[in-house]
Amino acid sequence: SFVAMAASVGEIAVLCHKFITAPQLKSSSFANVIKLGTFCRTVVWPCLPPLLMYQYIRAKDEDMYATEVLYYKSGSRDAKAFYDTTRLNGSGHWRLQQDMETIRAAANAE
């Protein structure tokens, strides 16, 4: 029944809460939590922005390289067909241009 299921879910929630809060009862584990927090604040967090920026640049570079290869292999001489730098906020990418044209054609169907 629903009541029995709700009771068992409640018991599981209480057990999970005890599992998380029980290690904090001792002063040594409390000190370990402080040490871990200090480590994260001084070592981990300062490393994250450069790593995230590196990943962004790598992904952007890979995407632009793929666009350049596509442009080269197409034999076209119109670079703006693949990446139009005059468009706003990166919307000049050939795939975005194609998607926007599809949306425009569907929205303005006659």
Side-chain angles (χ1 to χ4, degrees):
S1 80
F2 179 73
V3 175
M5 184 182 73
S8 63
V9 169
E11 289 176 19
I12 291 172
V14 167
L15 284 174
C16 289
H17 182 263
K18 285 182 181 177
F19 178 74
I20 292 169
T21 58
Q24 295 179 3
L25 296 177
K26 298 179 183 174
S27 61
S28 62
S29 62
F30 184 71
N32 287 338
V33 168
I34 291 174
K35 287 178 188 176
L36 183 65
T38 303
F39 176 77
C40 286
R41 193 173 58 245
T42 58
V43 176
V44 176
W45 289 119
C47 292
L48 281 180
L51 283 174
L52 293 174
M53 194 64 177
Y54 172 71
Q55 290 289 35
Y56 171 77
I57 291 170
R58 241 179 78 190
K60 192 73 166 167
D61 190 43
E62 185 178 331
D63 184 42
M64 294 308 287
Y65 174 73
T67 304
E68 288 176 14
V69 169
L70 181 64
Y71 168 65
Y72 174 75
K73 293 201 177 212
S74 72
S76 173
R77 293 287 160 234
D78 183 21
K80 291 205 182 258
F82 293 89
Y83 194 85
D84 190 357
T85 56
T86 60
R87 292 185 176 239
L88 296 176
N89 296 331
S91 63
H93 191 278
W94 70 274
R95 190 68 179 161
L96 271 172
Q97 290 180 29
Q98 182 183 14
D99 293 346
M100 293 303 287
E101 181 58 30
T102 304
I103 292 169
R104 188 200 61 75
N108 296 328
E110 295 177 17

